[in-house]
Amino acid sequence: MLNIVLVEPEIPNNTGNIGRLCVGTESRLHLIHPFGFVINDKNLKRSGLDYWVHLDVTEYQNITEWKANIPDFSRVFLMSSHAEKSYLETDFQDGDWLVFGKESKGLSEAVLNEFPNHLTIPMSPLIRSFNIANSVAFIIGEAKRQISLKI
């Protein structure tokens, strides 16, 4: 099972969509406070629909609390549009932690400095980044494809 981590998510529709994606791909969702919204039916209903009740989700008050639950830091992959290595060049494994930053700024330098594995999604120079829900879908799709080939 993959671990999808959203650090300080700001937009409820994105988080709802990612939650739905996690249910569909049997992935765990980890949410690190502070959020830009309150988790309730009103904010997540449009995108998370009624799938939220089936979601394996854990909330953490901060990065330190989340880090205490990671058994192997070498299997943590931080997504950044500034990284040099593509996610397509990575050998994903079951249980990996895929970490995404907040919509407005991505991951902070402090968080990026905590882990060595930084990945990017190749994109046209005409855009700064992809929508976070789309980015999560790209990465989960490739990781699940690789993991299924190893079974």
Side-chain angles (χ1 to χ4, degrees), residues 39-142:
I39 292 184
N40 61 30
D41 288 339
K42 177 183 169 226
N43 287 328
L44 297 171
K45 189 173 184 181
R46 270 187 87 182
S47 49
L49 297 173
D50 54 351
Y51 302 110
W52 198 261
V53 297
H54 303 290
L55 180 61
D56 183 349
V57 60
T58 305
E59 292 182 39
Y60 306 91
Q61 291 308 305
N62 52 49
I63 293 288
T64 303
E65 183 182 345
W66 165 65
K67 282 177 54 180
N69 292 279
I70 302 170
D72 180 359
F73 281 26
S74 73
R75 301 311 310 169
V76 177
F77 298 92
L78 282 66
M79 306 307 152
S80 170
S81 60
H82 304 292
E84 294 184 17
K85 185 176 180 181
S86 168
Y87 78 103
L88 297 169
E89 303 171 61
T90 302
D91 181 24
F92 293 107
Q93 299 175 15
D94 193 32
D96 281 352
W97 297 79
L98 311 175
V99 184
F100 300 82
K102 61 179 152 185
E103 290 90 342
S104 64
K105 298 179 182 179
L107 293 166
S108 70
E109 284 297 317
V111 173
L112 288 167
N113 291 334
E114 301 256 353
F115 301 93
N117 298 320
H118 301 177
L119 303 176
T120 192
I121 299 171
M123 67 186 104
S124 162
L126 299 176
I127 64 171
R128 287 186 307 278
S129 62
F130 289 106
N131 170 279
I132 188 171
N134 292 334
S135 297
V136 173
F138 277 125
I139 308 296
I140 285 180
E142 176 59 15

Side-chain angles (χ1 to χ4, degrees), residues 12-22 44 47-48 52 131 133-134:
N13 292 355
N14 285 335
T15 302
N17 197 2
I18 292 165
R20 184 177 178 174
L21 179 64
C22 286
L44 297 171
S47 49
W52 198 261
N131 170 279
N134 292 334

